C-alpha cells in the first residue's frame, strides 16, 4: 500500500459514518406513479421546501411518524429549485431525514397541481394521505399540528 | 339531546368559520371596495383607481422566495401596463407577528430598496386577502374597471416559470391584460402555482 492509498483508505473510513441519503430528482410522471401505486401501507406524501418555514416546522412529525409506524410510508416531495439540490442534501443530512426525499423538478406548476388534488391552491405545506387498500385519500393544505397526521391516517383506516 | 344537537351545530359553525373554505372572489365577481395603508404612509382605496382601465392586484410580500423570484417581473408589469391603464397594486397579507420580515417598516424599506414604482399596501387585519380568497404569495387578481365596478377577470400565477422569466412560455397576466385592452376576455382566466402560504394570524 503506498502513501496515497493509505490516505484514500483513511478518508473512506472516516467518510462513511457521515452517510446520509441524497434527494432524488424526479419529474411529475414519477410522482403520479407513486400516488396511484398499489400499496398495503398507508402513504403519506408531504409537499415542502427548505425555504418554507411552516414546512420545516412540521417535518419532525413526519419523521416521527415514519420512525414509529411500520404500516406507513412517508415521502417528502421537495419543491426547491433543482439548482438548490446541494442545499436540500445538506438539509437532509443536518435534519437526519430518512424518509425518501424526492425533488420535483417540474416548473409548469399549473400543469400538474390539479393532478395531485383539485382542491390544492398551490400553497405549501400540503399533505396527501392515501390508503391504497381502501381507495381513500385525504388532502390537507396547511401546517399540521402534533398528532394531526395520526388522526388523518386513522380516519382513512375505517 | 337538544342541547347536544345545538352544541354540535355550534361546533360545526365554529369549525367552518375558523377554516378558510375555498371561497373568495371568482372570475366574474365584482370586488367590494377596500382601503389600506400604502408604503408612503397614506391610505389608498381600490376606488382611487376609478380612472384606470383596471388593476393588476397582487398579494405579495417581502419574505417569500417565490415573491422575490417574481419581484422584477412584478415591477415590469407595472412599467409596461401602468401607461395602458393597468397599474400594479401589491398587497402584503402576512401577519407580521408570524412573519416579522413583513412588518410595515420592513415593507417601506423593501419598496425603497427595490425601487418600487407601484403601490404596496399592508392588509393588516387580513380582511382583504380573506375577501379575495387569496391563498399564497404571489397570487394575482386582474381586475377590470366597469364604470367604477371592479370585476375579476383573471386569478392565478404571473407566468408558468417561477424560476426563470426567460423560460416562461405562458405569460398569463400579460396575456390576460392584453386581451382586456382589446376588449376581449382572457383566454386563460384561472391558473395555479406553488407559492408560500399566507401567514394567517394564529386563531
Amino acid at each position: 500500500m503506498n502513501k496515497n492509498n493509505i490516505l484514500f483508505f483513511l478518508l473512506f473510513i472516516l467518510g462513511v459514518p457521515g452517510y446520509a441519503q441524497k434527494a432524488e430528482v424526479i419529474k411529475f410522471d414519477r410522482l403520479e406513479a407513486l400516488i396511484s401505486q398499489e400499496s398495503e401501507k398507508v402513504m403519506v406524501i408531504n409537499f415542502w421546501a427548505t425555504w418554507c418555514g411552516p414546512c420545516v416546522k412540521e417535518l419532525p412529525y413526519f419523521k416521527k411518524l415514519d420512525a414509529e409506524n411500520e404500516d406507513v410510508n412517508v415521502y417528502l416531495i421537495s419543491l426547491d429549485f433543482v439548482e438548490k439540490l446541494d442545499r436540500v442534501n445538506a438539509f437532509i443530512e443536518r435534519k437526519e431525514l430518512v424518509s425518501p426525499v424526492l425533488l420535483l423538478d417540474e416548473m409548469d406548476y399549473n400543469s400538474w397541481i390539479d393532478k395531485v388534488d383539485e382542491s390544492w391552491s398551490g400553497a405549501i405545506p400540503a399533505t396527501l394521505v392515501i390508503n391504497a387498500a381502501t381507495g381513500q385519500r385525504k388532502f390537507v393544505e396547511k401546517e399540521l399540528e402534533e398528532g394531526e397526521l395520526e388522526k388523518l391516517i386513522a380516519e382513512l383506516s375505517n | 339531546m337538544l342541547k347536544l344537537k345545538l352544541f354540535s351545530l355550534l361546533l360545526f359553525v365554529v369549525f367552518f368559520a375558523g377554516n378558510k373554505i375555498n371561497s373568495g372572489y371568482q372570475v366574474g365577481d365584482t370586488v367590494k371596495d377596500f382601503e389600506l395603508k400604502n408604503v408612503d404612509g397614506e391610505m389608498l382605496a381600490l376606488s382611487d383607481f376609478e380612472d384606470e382601465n383596471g388593476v393588476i392586484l397582487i398579494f405579495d410580500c417581502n419574505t417569500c422566495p417565490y415573491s422575490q423570484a417574481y419581484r422584477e417581473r412584478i415591477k415590469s408589469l407595472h412599467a409596461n401596463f401602468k401607461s395602458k391603464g393597468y397599474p400594479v397594486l401589491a398587497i402584503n397579507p402576512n401577519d407580521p407577528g408570524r412573519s416579522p420580515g413583513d412588518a410595515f417598516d420592513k415593507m417601506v424599506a423593501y419598496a425603497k430598496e427595490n425601487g418600487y414604482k407601484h403601490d404596496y399596501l399592508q392588509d393588516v387585519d387580513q380582511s382583504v386577502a380573506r375577501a379575495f380568497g387569496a391563498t399564497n404569495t404571489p397570487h394575482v387578481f386582474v381586475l377590470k374597471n366597469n364604470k367604477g365596478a371592479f370585476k375579476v377577470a383573471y386569478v392565478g400565477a404571473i407566468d408558468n416559470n417561477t424560476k426563470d422569466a426567460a423560460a416562461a412560455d405562458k405569460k398569463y397576466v400579460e396575456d390576460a391584460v392584453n386581451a382586456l385592452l382589446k376588449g376581449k376576455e382572457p383566454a386563460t382566466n384561472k391558473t395555479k402555482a406553488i407559492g408560500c402560504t399566507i401567514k394567517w394570524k394564529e386563531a
Side-chain angles (χ1 to χ4, degrees):
Chain A
M1 219 181 236
N2 67 26
K3 254 187 193 165
N4 275 347
N5 280 348
I6 292 169
L7 190 67
F8 183 77
F9 180 73
L10 279 175
L11 277 176
F12 181 75
I13 294 288
L14 293 173
V16 166
Y19 170 78
Q21 66 152 329
K22 298 262 185 256
E24 181 189 348
V25 177
I26 61 162
K27 289 286 173 188
F28 185 72
D29 56 358
R30 172 91 160 73
L31 176 63
E32 204 166 31
L34 184 69
I35 288 173
S36 53
Q37 85 183 6
E38 301 266 328
S39 172
E40 291 292 305
K41 296 188 180 185
V42 169
M43 251 193 306
V44 175
I45 302 176
N46 175 242
F47 295 87
W48 69 291
T50 55
W51 50 259
C52 161
C55 304
V56 172
K57 209 170 132 203
E58 67 170 15
L59 267 184
Y61 308 141
F62 289 88
K63 202 175 153 181
K64 184 163 167 270
L65 178 79
D66 207 6
E68 292 178 358
N69 204 326
E70 285 196 354
D71 300 324
V72 175
N73 279 335
V74 173
Y75 296 90
L76 303 173
I77 310 298
S78 155
L79 294 168
D80 289 270
F81 296 156
V82 70
E83 288 78 2
K84 304 281 183 191
L85 187 57
D86 287 347
R87 183 190 152 120
V88 175
N89 285 329
F91 184 91
I92 291 171
E93 196 171 340
R94 197 168 67 246
K95 300 278 178 179
E96 296 169 343
L97 299 179
V98 290
S99 311
V101 175
L102 309 173
L103 188 153
L104 181 60
D105 177 28
E106 199 75 83
M107 287 313 297
D108 193 353
Y109 298 133
N110 190 53
S111 69
W112 58 263
I113 288 175
D114 276 341
K115 292 181 191 164
V116 174
D117 198 275
E118 284 194 13
S119 73
W120 188 12
S121 77
I124 55 173
T127 301
L128 177 62
V129 183
I130 302 174
N131 186 337
T134 63
Q136 289 170 292
R137 53 184 274 158
K138 189 123 194 162
F139 183 82
V140 281
E141 179 180 330
K142 63 166 187 164
E143 179 189 335
L144 297 168
E145 307 283 334
E146 185 159 20
E148 251 185 305
L149 266 175
E150 287 76 4
K151 255 189 247 168
L152 281 173
I153 291 166
E155 279 171 32
L156 293 190
S157 304
N158 299 324
Chain B
M1 190 62 203
L2 179 67
K3 242 185 187 167
L4 187 68
K5 268 188 187 164
L6 278 175
F7 183 66
S8 1
L9 183 70
L10 183 73
L11 269 183
F12 187 81
V13 169
V14 168
F15 179 78
F16 280 100
N19 275 267
K20 56 178 176 73
I21 19 182
N22 200 3
S23 55
Y25 296 131
Q26 305 296 318
V27 170
D29 287 353
T30 298
V31 172
K32 221 175 114 221
D33 195 22
F34 57 81
E35 192 181 53
L36 299 171
K37 193 158 125 187
N38 196 3
V39 285
D40 64 5
E42 303 288 322
M43 298 300 285
L44 190 66
L46 181 62
S47 52
D48 291 333
F49 293 85
E50 63 182 0
D51 294 334
E52 305 285 356
N53 292 321
V55 169
I56 303 172
L57 190 153
I58 307 178
F59 290 94
D60 196 18
C61 69
N62 290 1
T63 51
C64 168
Y66 284 17
S67 282
Q68 291 163 2
Y70 272 113
R71 187 178 56 232
E72 293 309 314
R73 277 173 270 183
I74 289 170
K75 286 161 65 182
S76 299
L77 281 172
H78 185 73
N80 294 336
F81 289 108
K82 164 79 180 90
S83 58
K84 295 174 181 165
Y86 274 88
V88 165
L89 176 58
I91 298 179
N92 188 334
N94 282 345
D95 172 29
R98 287 190 60 200
S99 181
D102 286 308
F104 187 74
D105 58 331
K106 298 277 169 48
M107 287 174 57
V108 173
Y110 193 81
K112 195 174 166 204
E113 180 188 321
N114 292 297
Y116 276 15
K117 300 268 193 297
H118 59 270
D119 298 304
Y120 189 27
L121 316 181
Q122 185 180 40
D123 184 13
V124 70
D125 67 359
Q126 306 185 311
S127 58
V128 177
R130 286 196 190 278
F132 274 78
T135 51
N136 51 285
T137 53
H139 196 168
V140 184
F141 291 77
V142 175
L143 310 178
K144 183 177 185 284
N145 182 2
N146 258 340
K147 295 172 189 144
F150 286 90
K151 269 188 149 182
V152 179
Y154 170 83
V155 182
I158 291 169
D159 60 31
N160 71 340
N161 197 314
T162 302
K163 194 162 67 187
D164 181 6
D169 57 7
K170 292 178 193 136
K171 304 196 188 266
Y172 305 122
V173 169
E174 237 178 271
D175 292 350
V177 176
N178 279 327
L180 292 170
L181 287 170
K182 286 181 194 148
K184 292 183 195 157
E185 293 301 315
T188 302
N189 59 21
K190 202 164 171 35
T191 61
K192 288 182 177 181
I194 298 297
C196 307
T197 190
I198 289 175
K199 306 301 179 293
W200 301 105
K201 282 185 208 298
E202 307 276 356

